[in-house]
Amino acid sequence: MTTQTTTETQAPATPKAPKALSYATLGGAVLSFASTFLAWTWTAEFPGNLTVTGYPGGLQLLTLTGALLTAVLVLGGLGIPGLRWATPGGKYASVRFMALATFATTWFTVIAIAVELGGLVNLEPGAWLAAVATALTVAVSFALPREAEPTGTSGWATFAALFKAPAPGRAKELPGWAEILLIAVAFGIGLLAFTYGIGTEGAEDFLGFLLLIGFGVAALAKSGLSRRLTGLTVKHKNVTVTAAFVSAFAFPFTQTSDAYTSVGTNILIFATVALGLNIVVGLAGLLDLGYVAFLGVGAYTAALVSGSPNSPFDIHVPFWAAVLLGALASLIFGVIIGAPTLRLHGDYLAIVTLGFGEIFRIGMQNLDGTSGPDITNGPNGIPNIPDLEMFGFNFGESHTVLGVELGRFSNYYLLMLLVTIVVVLVFRRSDQSRIGRAWVAIREDETAARAMGINAFRLKLLAFALGATLAGLAGTVQAHVTYTVTPAQYKFVESMPPNSAFLLAAVILGGMGTVSGPLIGAALLYLIPAKLQFMADYQLLLFGIALVLLMRFRPEGLVADRRKQLEFKETGQLDTPKGDTGLSKAGV
């Protein structure tokens, strides 16, 4: 009797996917792959030239990549030797998301061809085959059994559960050299994807790229690969940091145009400043809405002492001196502003820092010789800032390095990469130090931190000053990259970052308190407006919607540290205990 009851109460086993559905999905992926070798349209007017038969181009490459990855995930789910690594956590959910990625990219391309060229008549047989094959692949993939149904009764909970990674399966231990090789390959693939995205010629190519990347990242999360890779990066932190900066160093050597490298340079400037703000917001928990002003202090300082003919001071100091002066000026401003304002909390502190940012911008605008002393040339700013020259190396001229000709922006990119390394080292050392732990304690509960003997005001002022110093350091390079420094560059909201609103959004989007989070967030927030300029009038609305969705489904950010994951994770510790707790036996 007891055995029968136990058998009845057991949870039903997860149904196995019929092999026929898996093979049908594989067949759809193969057809999608083959369709990219056929012409999709008859005219080369559409970006990417999709008229060639036998050679994929433009958006066809994205469909080819999505179909290939779908096939790999299906074969991994079938247990094919050598491909089981592709699905360590979940077999079928990853296939569905990758099939969706291929479908979304392909159908976006088909619709874009019809809209741009004036009708479905402009589609060639290859486009029709791709549309039908990807649609069938998605339909069959959704017929595969679900491995874990989302918990909860609300539609929001069901939708949110689709983006949560499955529990990791038992992974076979790999040799140390193999783990290091996997990290290197992962960063190499990341460099390839970033290079492709930044080099897209039209908005259509970039939108298709975003669709594939968005669903593709979800597929990797569902398969368990991203969780496993995260475990490897945590295990080999120094190797991960080295691989990241080697990949970043290789970026200008992969570019054929200095115009694309200029985007990379500005992304590094934006990301470095966002990482400095991460100390203030992410570690210390201080909401600073005027942080871009410290970037302006460093830029104006460098512009005034770097030999510009429009500077009222006839001074031309070496770059290392300009860097120190810019960082020192930002430090002084940070202490002057922080000393009286950091006694405020929450919204009051945010309002005061927002006011400081506007005061700085208006102050620089009024130092024009009419409203005030003639120092900054007013709204016209300080133009004609000369290019840097260090040890006989002129950053404004082209140079051949390792057989590759590097232009002006490539030179500044490599210089800014060194600055980024310095900022990352400062952030990591601060985060792992006693001061960093004190900042986190103040962020979580300032009252409790004070009760434990932490001098909250002094440490908050230190965080404010350090963040200002790092922003000023980046500002000294920005002044030479842009040639001109004007007050309009440092508004709270500007058409293009960096500005205070976008800096704060980059920290929140990427993940507060992490190193890679603000770097990824800054790259996304700069690259998307730069590539999709037709969305300029709606970018604030779109970013607002993106932040609302992020707070709803992933409040810890795209890259979250363990503390944030535990803070936002539903552990169920407050649920009512099930079964006999032992209280009745104790007579309670």
Side-chain angles (χ1 to χ4, degrees):
M1 190 70 176
T2 305
T3 305
Q4 183 179 1
T5 304
T6 304
T7 305
E8 291 176 354
T9 57
Q10 286 179 350
T14 304
K16 296 182 179 180
K19 285 190 176 181
L21 290 176
S22 297
Y23 284 120
T25 306
L26 179 62
V30 171
L31 285 177
S32 303
F33 181 89
S35 69
T36 61
F37 292 88
L38 301 175
W40 283 17
T41 184
W42 62 273
T43 174
E45 293 182 7
F46 190 81
N49 191 7
L50 309 183
T51 64
V52 181
T53 299
Y55 185 81
L59 287 166
Q60 289 176 323
L61 292 173
L62 300 178
T63 299
L64 182 147
T65 303
L68 181 61
L69 292 177
T70 303
V72 170
L73 292 174
V74 171
L75 293 174
L78 288 171
I80 302 299
L83 293 178
R84 294 176 182 175
W85 55 267
T87 55
K91 297 179 181 178
Y92 310 123
S94 59
V95 173
R96 281 190 287 271
F97 271 100
M98 189 53 69
L100 272 175
T102 313
F103 171 81
T105 303
T106 303
W107 277 72
F108 166 77
T109 306
V110 170
I111 294 173
I113 291 174
V115 172
E116 289 288 332
L117 302 182
L120 296 176
V121 70
N122 295 284
L123 297 177
E124 290 290 306
W128 291 107
L129 176 61
V132 173
T134 54
L136 289 176
T137 305
V138 169
V140 176
S141 68
F142 271 84
L144 294 170
R146 297 186 180 273
E147 296 151 319
E149 292 295 332
T151 58
T153 56
S154 68
W156 284 111
T158 302
F159 183 73
L162 294 176
F163 295 90
K164 292 182 180 178
R170 271 184 115 169
K172 182 180 178 181
E173 284 290 333
L174 296 175
W177 65 267
E179 294 179 344
I180 294 174
L181 180 61
L182 285 177
I183 294 174
V185 170
F187 276 100
I189 295 174
L191 173 62
L192 180 64
F194 180 76
T195 302
Y196 181 88
I198 206 171
T200 51
E201 297 179 359
E204 295 85 358
D205 288 344
F206 187 73
L207 280 173
F209 170 76
L210 287 182
L211 289 172
L212 182 67
I213 289 296
F215 285 105
V217 169
L220 292 179
K222 280 294 184 180
S223 69
L225 281 174
S226 59
R227 187 187 291 269
R228 183 164 295 180
L229 181 61
T230 301
L232 293 179
T233 57
V234 172
K235 183 178 179 180
H236 304 281
K237 289 185 177 180
N238 293 331
V239 173
T240 301
V241 173
T242 303
F245 282 107
V246 168
S247 301
F249 176 81
F251 169 73
F253 296 92
T254 64
Q255 299 302 302
T256 57
S257 172
D258 209 34
Y260 298 144
T261 315
S262 68
V263 178
T265 305
N266 286 291
I267 287 176
L268 275 184
I269 295 174
F270 187 22
T272 303
V273 181
L275 196 57
L277 178 61
N278 199 23
I279 294 178
V280 181
V281 177
L283 296 184
L286 305 174
L287 185 56
D288 187 353
L289 298 182
Y291 186 76
V292 74
F294 299 120
L295 175 69
V297 170
Y300 265 100
T301 303
L304 290 172
V305 300
S306 294
S308 171
N310 298 92
S311 172
F313 308 110
D314 188 16
I315 301 175
H316 190 182
V317 301
F319 176 64
W320 63 266
V323 168
L324 293 178
L325 288 174
L328 180 62
S330 298
L331 170 64
I332 294 173
F333 269 84
V335 173
I336 293 175
I337 300 302
T341 60
L342 289 179
R343 301 185 186 276
L344 302 173
H345 303 276
D347 298 338
Y348 300 101
L349 175 62
I351 292 172
V352 171
T353 54
L354 175 62
F356 162 67
E358 288 301 298
I359 289 173
F360 168 78
R361 180 182 65 83
I362 296 173
M364 296 299 101
Q365 189 170 333
N366 289 338
L367 296 178
D368 56 356
T370 302
S371 302
D374 186 10
I375 298 177
T376 64
N377 201 22
N380 296 323
I382 303 176
N384 302 320
I385 300 173
D387 282 307
L388 290 175
E389 186 172 352
M390 292 191 301
F391 308 109
F393 185 91
N394 191 315
F395 284 78
E397 299 176 354
S398 297
H399 300 274
T400 301
V401 180
L402 301 178
V404 178
E405 185 176 356
L406 300 180
R408 176 179 183 271
F409 286 107
S410 297
N411 300 330
Y412 280 109
Y413 173 90
L414 296 176
L415 175 63
M416 197 62 218
L417 184 61
L418 295 177
V419 176
T420 305
I421 293 175
V422 172
V423 175
V424 168
L425 289 176
V426 171
F427 181 89
R428 289 190 65 190
R429 293 296 183 183
S430 301
D431 184 24
Q432 298 170 2
S433 67
R434 179 182 177 185
I435 294 176
R437 292 192 293 271
W439 282 337
V440 173
I442 294 171
R443 183 193 69 193
E444 298 298 327
D445 193 330
E446 185 174 341
T447 304
R450 291 178 183 274
M452 296 300 296
I454 295 177
N455 190 329
F457 174 75
R458 182 181 300 174
L459 287 172
K460 288 194 296 184
L461 184 59
L462 178 61
F464 208 75
L466 181 59
T469 303
L470 297 180
L473 183 66
T476 58
V477 180
Q478 186 205 31
H480 293 85
V481 172
T482 59
Y483 282 129
T484 302
V485 178
T486 62
Q489 295 175 337
Y490 307 105
K491 293 181 180 179
F492 174 72
V493 177
E494 180 62 26
S495 58
M496 285 291 291
N499 54 65
S500 294
F502 278 76
L503 287 170
L504 186 61
V507 174
I508 297 174
L509 174 67
M512 293 189 297
T514 64
V515 175
S516 57
L519 300 179
I520 295 175
L524 290 174
L525 291 183
Y526 188 92
L527 187 59
I528 292 176
K531 288 295 183 179
L532 305 179
Q533 296 183 3
F534 68 93
M535 297 169 54
D537 295 335
Y538 307 100
Q539 63 179 349
L540 292 179
L541 173 63
L542 296 176
F543 286 142
I545 294 174
L547 288 176
V548 169
L549 294 176
L550 183 74
M551 292 298 102
R552 178 60 184 85
F553 298 112
R554 194 173 176 84
E556 66 270 24
L558 296 178
V559 180
D561 60 359
R562 182 167 179 79
R563 186 183 295 110
K564 286 294 182 183
Q565 288 178 333
L566 294 176
E567 179 180 349
F568 290 105
K569 184 179 179 182
E570 296 180 4
T571 59
Q573 295 179 355
L574 299 180
D575 293 346
T576 303
K578 298 180 180 180
D580 188 6
T581 61
L583 297 178
S584 59
K585 295 182 180 180
V588 178

